[in-house]
Every structure is written in C-alpha cells, then in structure tokens.
Amino acid sequence: MSEIKFSFLERNSLVKKIAFSGNSHTTVSIGKSDADILFSSKDVSRLHAQLVYDGNRVYIQDCESTNGTFVNGTRIPSGQLIGLKSGDTVMFSASGDSKMVVGDTAQAYSIAPNATAAPTSSIGSLNQYLINKEEITVGRAPECDVVLSHHSISRVHASIRKVGNGRFKVTDLGSTNGTFVNGRKITSIEVGSNDRLFVGRFQLSFDTAARNLSTESAIRANNVSKVYGNGFTALKQTSFDIPSGGLVAIMGPSGCGKSTLLKVLNGDSPASTGNVMVHGLDLIENYDYLKTQIGYVPQDDIVHRELTVEQSIYYAAKIRLDGISDEETDQKIDRLLRALNITEIRNNLVSAISGGQRKRVSIAVELLSDPAILFLDEPTSPLDPQTIEEFMGILRSLSAAGTTVVIVTHKPDDLNHMDSVIFMAEGGYMVYYGGARDYKSYFNVSAPVEVYANIAGEKAKYWINKMYAGRNNPQMPPANSRRPSSDVNVFRQFYWLLSRYLKIKTNDKLNSAIMLLQAPIIALLICIIFSDIRISVPFLMAVSAIWFGVNNAAREIVAELPIYKRERMFNVVILPYVFSKVTVLGLFAFLQAVMFNLIIWMCYSGSLSWNDPLSGILWMFFITVCSSLFGLLISSGSNNTEKVMSIVPIAIIPQIMLAGIVAPIQNMGVEFMSYFTFSRWGTEGFAHIQGDVWDKEVKIDTTLLATQPDKAAQITDVQTDAFGVLEKNYDSSYGDTFGDLAGTLSLDFIVVLSLALLCLIGIWISLKKKDSI
C-alpha cells in the first residue's frame, strides 16, 4: 500500500515527521517523556497516546492522558482505537498547541481550496481563498475551504460569497456558536473588505491573516473604575494585563471590590470609566461576540433545582446555542460530564446533589459555548477541604486545556492552586498583581492571611501609595456601558424557555399538585358556606381567580433571579422569557378554572343554577392569567422570596376591599381607586355571566309602621339582577366616567386587559432595570 505520512507540530513548529508502509505491525508512543515522539508542552502527559499501525490502517489511542486526545476537535474515549484518514488533525489537548496532522505537512497547511485543518498563522486572508472561487465555506470539516480545527467551530460554519464591487455576502450556516461581523451576531449580511468576521475563537479578515484570539492577551483593563448610581465608588481606577491561560485569583477583605472587579471584567457590570479589552477586542463594543467566549458562574447557583443534571445542561444548550441538534447536545453533555467528573449524577435532581457538584453543573452550563475565559465568584465558599482539592484539580485541567480561569475567593488556601493573584485593598484599590508565590516577598509575609492585615484599615494606605506611586491615572471619560443587542430567534428561544419551565413544573409534582388543588378546595368551601347563589359567590370567584394568578406567579422570577440574570447576559430576551412563564401558568389557570366552575355548576343546580359554566370557565381563566401578570410584576420587582411573601397580602387585600361587596363605594376617590383592581371588574364580569342571584328584599308594611314598627319590615329572598345589586354599591360617577360602556361585559374585558398590559410593561421595566449598568 502507499506510504502514510504523519507530521507532529508544537506551537505551529514542526517537531517530527514519520511514515508507515509495508505489512509489519508498528506502535509509536507520544508523550512528554519515555515516548517515541516527545512534546515539551505542560498539556501533554508523560505517556499521552500511541499510534497503532496494523499493516493496512493507522489508529490513535489515548493512554488515559490528563487533558485528553482530540480527533478533528472531538475528544476520544481513553483506551479505544480510533481510525485515522488523510487530512485528520489530532490535538493532544484542547488548546491545540501540540498536534499531529495525517498527511504531508505542506499539503495539510496549504491555503488551497479544501485544505485540511491548519494552525491559524498559516491561514491567510479571505481574499486569497476567493481569488479563484465565487463562494467559500468556513468550518471544522476537511471539505471546507477555510478549515479551523476547534470544537467551538461547527463542521460547516459559514459561507462567504462575492457580490461584486468589493462586497461580500456572509451567511451563517446554522452554526452552534454563531457567526459574528464586527462583534455583532448575524444570520446573513453584506460586508466590505474592512469588516472583520468572528468564528469561534478566530478572527478572519479579507486583507490580513487569521488570528486565534485565544492565544493573545486574555484580559487587559485600561484605567477601569466603577461608580454606582448613588455616587459610591466601588472600584478605583486601575490597569493590568492577564495573559491567556493559567489560574488567576482575586483576593482581599470583604467589601474591597473583588466581585465588582470581576463583573467589570466580564461585562456583567460595565466600567464607569476606562475600558476592558478581551483578546484585543473592546468588551462592550464587541459584547455580542465576546459573551460567547466568556463563562461566568456567580456566587449563586445558575441551574434549576427542579431539573436533573442532564436536563439542566440540555435546556441551557438549547437556549444559548442556536440550531444545536440533539446529537450535538448529547455529545457536549457527555464531554462536559466526563471532564467535570460528574457522570454518575447525570440523572439526579440538582436539588439532591452536593454544593460542590452543583457548582460543577453550573460550570458545565458555562462551558457549553467553549469559552476561552471562565469567571467564578467565590466557587469554593460552600465546599469542604477535600471537595476543594478535587474542584481545584478540575480548574487546573481547564487551565491546562487553554481556558483562562479567573476566580474571586476569600479562602487563603485557594492561593496554593493559583498561577497569579490580584489583591484588592479596602476602598476598591488594587495593591498587588503578580505571581501566586511572589506576593510573600512583596508584602514581607509568610502566609496569605497576613496580607489581609496589611491591606485593611490604616495600613492599607501604604500599599495603595506603593502601587499607585508614579502611575499616571488620568481621569478617563465615561466608558461605553451600552452593550449591543443580540440577534436572537425569539420564537425558538420562547419554545425552549417554555419547554424548560413546563419540565420544571412537571418535575416538581408536589407543588404543582398543591397549586391545582387550591381550586376544588375553595370551590367546595363556597358550596358549603352558601346554600344558594348570592352576589358573594361571583365576588369570591373573582377573588379566587386573582389569588390563583398572583400566588401561582409571585415567586417564579425572584426564585430563579441568578439564573435569569446570567442567561440575560448571554442572550435571553425579556418578552419570550415572560411569555414562557405566562403560557405555562395559563395552562394551570385553565385547569383551575375548569375544576372550580364545574364544582360550582354541579353544586348550584336548584331553582337558581350556575347559569353559564363555559363562560364562567373562560372568564375565570382570563382573570387568572391577567392576575398572573400582576404576580410576575411583584416577583420581578423583588430581590428575594421573603419580600414577595410580604407584598402578596398587601396586593390581595385591596382587591377584596375595593370590589364594592365588603363595603359600598361612597365617594369618587374610592371609586377611582377601584378601577385599578382586578376584583372590581372580575366581579362585574361574573355578575353579567350569571345574570340573576338571590338577594334580600325589604318591604315596609305602612299599616303596621305606627302600631308595630318591629314587624313593619318584611325581609324576603328574591331573584334579582346580579349587576343591579353591584351597581347600588358603586358611586354615581361610574356612569359618568364610562358612558354607554358602563355596566357591560365589554368594559370589564377592556379594563382587565388594559391592567394586564400595564403589568406587562411594568415587568419589562423591572427586568430591564436588573440589567447591569
């Protein structure tokens, strides 16, 4: 058979070439020592992998390496023989610093059409590819024109077509992580020769060679500061440069601005002055692209406790990554679970796993987009020492695979695992940035805990002056804090948000059952208390519908606020998020309305029956859904569930008092206030649907008035118009305000819908305010 060639490269420099031919069986070992092919990279294990030639075909086998072996961007299982073919690229870590190419090196790294995966430095300008072709493709597959070997790239990622006069049409081909032009996500757009394309971790230009951004400076802070709206300066002007790779800790006493600095660096809370450059790109101007290169795990867990581990990662993938198939999602989940050593808890509910495991699930969610930088805010706080050691080992593996990891921590022992450290002093000043061992000589201490005493109180001034002495920190103009909006398929996002929320509700069977059982319990109580239909029945039905809506929704946003804020940073749009809640809550509302009205209908079937159960079901459903928006408004404006439970009674009690049943409305001011309650219009609507109710009628016998006044009044039960009973309790200004519409079901519907729309606007404003500014 013909000769099979292999080229081994480290940091794009040729290490060795070998070839197999003939019928003899041959094995070649690859590693950092005691191997036939030697690499110097720290990512490569002592014995990392081996090539096996059986006289006909060559196979690669991973030898339980620390950082894994990747064939065309996909990590292979350890111990299994994987067949290779010409054009394949094998990386001996996710960073791709050490790799092997099947085939001749010159052929593998040519810029001709259909070239196989190449190091970025060998990929020329896009114009070179378009010289003899009208259209080219970019992707991970060998058949693409521009081949980029990284798992953040889809097999066929994007196309570029000439349209004339130096213009080109760039089209995303359903890629997982998206295609970006000048930092903005696109579906299809016409561009010029000066525009920049971003695909995965790579920047492509028409006139210059491609750049692998992940190999450049990870983060550069240029005179950044943070001043909040109340005038408090949480972070003083500071500058530093974090190179790619490695583990960086941010440490300091409580309130020194550690988390603030982290949020400034990752875009959660943009700087007030100065700017942050990520891989050489302005973070805010290119946020739509760079957010795909940034992972961020805040202090609170960002996974739903009612989902299993696999479901949490699955839905996060569907919401964050456009067009990802179920097969790709499963592959990502498998890879992440193995990498984070949580495969055994795949089918466990998040609520049933330990704090350390939940933190790893949160990290798995953030690694879905294959970020180049991972930010963690106090990840070791809830962990025990043994778990911390294992957790830090995982972070070290991520770092070895090329991910820059930046963590905020207050635990001195965490520093033993770091490559470098930033110490913050009280007042928001950076007082040290350097090696994780060099700080001892800088502060003249023997342990990190001693540093804290030096950077708090009066002692901090010395170290602040030492750091800032001679620095030229001019007053910078306000930074650009407006992040560009994302180009998101809102219908697709709504579908997956809806699917996830429905799965949460169905998984949480006990609470969902309690929610549904409220309706029959309250309906049966009404039947027990009222022997016939009086005006109190429509009133209590309206109040019950409001209670269902508010109670069902009041905790739904605030309970998942950390998850919402992180997903909002990434790509979640407010309205699809809100409507996914309303749709699922609407399903519960419909079931509640059906059960409630059927019980009322079956209970009151005598001389005066429940008149129209179908209309009653629809009206109760409508009131409940609109009230759920009221509940979501309360939830969106709160910061914790305790506050919500304090607000709900304040929201419900006025609904009872202002409906005109408990007490008559006797002046224009109270009448006007009642117009803003769902109970006023809900009760009216039920009254119109029912028509007649029983009411007390008082007749005065004038012949007995003088002689027996105690017997002159005769009280009898009569059937009367339900709305007529209500109208007697309203102020006379009602008719003057609404004219011919007054006292009609149409007015009830219009006002309730208007109140719901006001709630929706309020929710949007409240959630918008939660965006970082």
Side-chain angles (χ1 to χ4, degrees):
M1 60 168 293
S2 59
E3 187 177 59
I4 307 175
K5 297 181 179 180
F6 294 83
S7 301
F8 296 84
L9 300 102
E10 189 161 46
R11 297 180 183 87
N12 302 327
S13 298
L14 185 65
V15 173
K16 194 169 185 178
K17 283 186 178 183
I18 64 171
F20 295 108
S21 62
N23 297 320
S24 60
H25 290 230
T26 306
T27 300
V28 175
S29 58
I30 304 161
K32 190 159 56 178
S33 63
D34 302 324
D36 301 311
I37 308 295
L38 296 176
F39 288 108
S40 60
S41 172
K42 64 179 183 180
D43 296 350
V44 177
S45 299
R46 290 173 59 86
L47 177 59
H48 196 105
Q50 61 182 8
L51 290 174
V52 179
Y53 175 60
D54 64 2
N56 180 52
R57 191 177 179 187
V58 180
Y59 300 84
I60 185 77
Q61 181 182 43
D62 182 81
C63 298
E64 297 185 350
S65 63
T66 301
N67 295 311
T69 303
F70 299 78
V71 176
N72 298 324
T74 301
R75 185 167 181 169
I76 63 174
S78 182
Q80 292 188 20
L81 292 174
I82 306 298
L84 298 175
K85 62 182 183 301
S86 180
D88 283 347
T89 296
V90 178
M91 300 187 300
F92 301 106
S93 73
S95 67
D97 285 347
S98 305
K99 64 178 67 177
M100 175 190 77
V101 176
V102 184
D104 183 74
T105 311
Q107 175 190 353
Y109 296 135
S110 67
I111 59 170
N114 298 322
T116 55
T120 313
S121 60
S122 70
I123 298 177
S125 68
L126 293 174
N127 281 332
Q128 291 177 275
Y129 293 86
L130 289 161
I131 291 175
N132 298 317
K133 299 191 73 173
E134 292 297 312
E135 184 173 6
I136 60 173
T137 56
V138 179
R140 197 179 71 239
E143 60 267 21
C144 290
D145 300 290
V146 181
V147 181
L148 301 170
S149 182
H150 192 270
H151 46 262
S152 64
I153 312 293
S154 296
R155 286 188 57 80
V156 184
H157 199 106
S159 68
I160 304 165
R161 177 171 56 85
K162 295 179 184 177
V163 294
N165 299 321
R167 306 290 292 176
F168 308 88
K169 185 73 170 289
V170 179
T171 303
D172 182 81
L173 300 177
S175 66
T176 298
N177 289 318
T179 302
F180 301 80
V181 172
N182 300 327
R184 298 290 301 275
K185 190 174 184 179
I186 62 97
T187 302
S188 183
I189 192 174
E190 191 173 303
V191 301
S193 58
N194 293 326
D195 291 312
R196 299 168 301 163
L197 278 64
F198 298 92
V199 178
R201 298 186 179 187
F202 303 91
Q203 176 184 310
L204 306 176
S205 302
F206 287 92
D207 298 322
T208 58
R211 295 165 55 195
N212 184 345
L213 298 175
S214 64
T215 63
E216 302 180 11
S217 172
I219 305 169
R220 178 173 293 123
N222 298 320
N223 291 308
V224 294
S225 69
K226 183 63 182 182
V227 182
Y228 288 104
N230 59 5
F232 174 69
T233 302
L235 177 65
K236 298 300 192 299
Q237 245 176 59
T238 189
S239 301
F240 53 84
D241 193 335
I242 297 176
S244 292
L247 290 164
V248 182
I250 302 176
M251 304 184 73
S254 297
C256 67
K258 301 187 296 294
S259 293
T260 299
L261 176 59
L262 191 79
K263 292 177 180 180
V264 165
L265 297 180
N266 64 32
D268 183 14
S269 183
S272 302
T273 65
N275 67 328
V276 176
M277 307 296 288
V278 175
H279 297 317
L281 304 172
D282 186 277
L283 174 61
I284 303 304
E285 291 180 2
N286 299 277
Y287 186 78
D288 201 23
Y289 162 65
L290 289 175
K291 70 185 180 185
T292 66
Q293 303 302 306
I294 291 174
Y296 172 40
V297 180
Q299 292 183 31
D300 297 314
D301 294 324
I302 54 172
V303 286
H304 290 91
R305 289 173 172 255
E306 300 84 358
L307 297 176
T308 66
V309 170
E310 181 176 9
Q311 288 169 348
S312 297
I313 304 172
Y314 175 83
Y315 284 113
K318 292 295 186 179
I319 291 167
R320 296 189 182 197
L321 306 177
D322 285 341
I324 186 171
S325 66
D326 285 342
E327 182 181 359
E328 290 176 298
T329 304
D330 291 340
Q331 290 175 355
K332 277 183 175 287
I333 292 173
D334 290 340
R335 176 169 59 85
L336 292 170
L337 293 177
R338 285 198 307 269
L340 297 171
N341 196 24
I342 49 176
T343 304
E344 71 282 359
I345 60 169
R346 181 183 196 124
N347 297 314
N348 292 22
L349 286 174
V350 172
S351 60
I353 62 178
S354 68
Q357 290 170 328
R358 283 199 302 273
K359 194 64 68 177
R360 279 184 257 179
V361 177
S362 295
I363 292 175
V365 167
E366 291 303 308
L367 293 178
L368 281 167
S369 61
D370 301 301
I373 306 173
L374 180 63
F375 293 93
L376 305 171
D377 196 349
E378 299 198 16
T380 60
S381 295
L383 309 184
D384 59 81
Q386 181 179 352
T387 306
I388 288 175
E389 285 294 319
E390 183 182 3
F391 183 78
M392 285 298 180
I394 290 171
L395 295 186
R396 172 58 65 187
S397 297
L398 290 173
S399 172
T403 302
T404 304
V405 182
V406 182
I407 75 168
V408 165
T409 179
H410 64 269
K411 292 191 173 182
D413 290 344
D414 290 351
L415 198 52
N416 297 329
H417 304 274
M418 298 293 113
D419 297 319
S420 54
V421 59
I422 294 173
F423 275 108
M424 303 289 296
E426 287 183 347
Y429 294 94
M430 184 181 76
V431 292
Y432 175 81
Y433 172 46
R437 314 292 178 266
D438 301 334
Y439 74 91
K440 294 180 180 180
S441 59
Y442 184 85
F443 289 104
N444 193 26
V445 296
S446 58
V449 68
E450 298 176 48
V451 177
Y452 283 71
N454 285 320
I455 57 179
E458 289 297 315
K459 291 184 178 180
K461 292 181 180 179
Y462 170 80
W463 301 105
I464 293 169
N465 291 332
K466 182 176 180 179
M467 171 60 72
Y468 285 82
R471 275 194 175 193
N472 180 20
N473 282 330
Q475 289 299 312
M476 301 290 290
N480 176 17
S481 62
R482 297 192 61 181
R483 300 188 296 227
S485 59
S486 300
D487 181 13
V488 175
N489 185 330
V490 293
F491 297 104
R492 180 182 177 278
Q493 188 175 96
F494 166 75
Y495 173 81
W496 287 111
L497 286 167
L498 173 66
S499 179
R500 181 177 69 179
Y501 188 40
L502 188 59
K503 179 62 70 174
I504 289 171
K505 287 298 184 185
T506 54
N507 280 3
D508 192 6
K509 293 179 176 61
L510 178 60
N511 283 328
S512 295
I514 292 172
M515 184 190 301
L516 290 174
L517 285 173
Q518 292 177 90
I521 291 172
I522 296 174
L524 287 170
L525 285 172
I526 291 175
C527 292
I528 293 170
I529 293 169
F530 299 95
S531 59
D532 46 34
I533 300 178
R534 299 185 179 274
I535 194 64
S536 297
V537 173
F539 165 66
L540 288 173
M541 292 180 72
V543 172
S544 298
I546 296 164
W547 167 254
F548 297 153
V550 172
N551 185 60
N552 292 353
R555 292 179 292 270
E556 295 307 295
I557 293 177
V558 69
E560 61 178 27
L561 197 55
I563 302 170
Y564 164 77
K565 292 186 71 174
R566 176 60 191 125
E567 290 183 339
R568 174 70 175 154
M569 278 180 66
F570 198 92
N571 68 341
V572 162
V573 181
I574 291 175
L575 288 182
Y577 174 76
V578 174
F579 283 126
S580 71
K581 300 286 186 193
V582 174
T583 303
V584 175
L585 293 174
L587 175 61
F588 281 89
F590 182 74
L591 295 174
Q592 288 172 314
V594 169
M595 290 187 288
F596 199 110
N597 278 268
L598 288 180
I599 290 173
I600 296 294
W601 175 64
M602 289 186 291
C603 177
Y604 298 111
S605 56
S607 59
L608 184 59
S609 62
W610 185 241
N611 186 41
D612 188 349
L614 178 59
S615 296
I617 288 171
L618 295 176
W619 186 246
M620 176 169 266
F621 167 70
F622 178 61
I623 296 296
T624 304
V625 170
C626 292
S627 298
S628 70
L629 284 166
F630 187 28
L632 290 174
L633 176 61
I634 296 171
S635 190
S636 65
S638 305
N639 295 321
N640 55 69
T641 53
E642 289 78 10
K643 184 183 292 184
V644 166
M645 299 318 295
S646 299
I647 295 173
V648 166
I650 301 172
I652 295 293
I653 291 173
Q655 304 285 336
I656 299 172
M657 298 173 64
L658 294 172
I661 300 297
V662 174
I665 299 174
Q666 297 178 337
N667 62 69
M668 187 183 300
V670 177
E671 177 76 19
F672 180 76
M673 291 170 59
S674 75
Y675 295 158
F676 293 93
T677 63
F678 289 104
S679 61
R680 158 69 183 259
W681 308 103
T683 304
E684 265 197 33
F686 278 120
H688 288 304
I689 291 169
Q690 173 58 18
D692 290 340
V693 295
W694 288 103
D695 195 29
K696 298 292 184 183
E697 183 178 70
V698 180
K699 292 183 179 181
I700 304 297
D701 188 342
T702 56
T703 60
L704 298 175
L705 193 60
T707 58
Q708 294 177 299
D710 56 324
K711 297 181 179 180
Q714 297 178 357
I715 302 174
T716 59
D717 281 337
V718 296
Q719 290 186 24
T720 186
D721 177 56
F723 179 72
V725 177
L726 285 175
E727 194 173 25
K728 290 186 291 187
N729 291 341
Y730 294 156
D731 186 74
S732 59
S733 61
Y734 176 42
D736 298 333
T737 303
F738 294 103
D740 293 340
L741 273 176
T744 64
L745 185 59
S746 297
L747 177 63
D748 302 331
F749 176 81
I750 291 169
V751 177
V752 170
L753 184 61
S754 299
L755 292 174
L757 290 175
L758 286 175
C759 289
L760 180 61
I761 293 170
I763 294 167
W764 188 88
I765 293 171
S766 293
L767 291 179
K768 192 69 176 173
K769 285 183 177 179
K770 294 185 186 299
D771 288 352
S772 301
I773 56 174

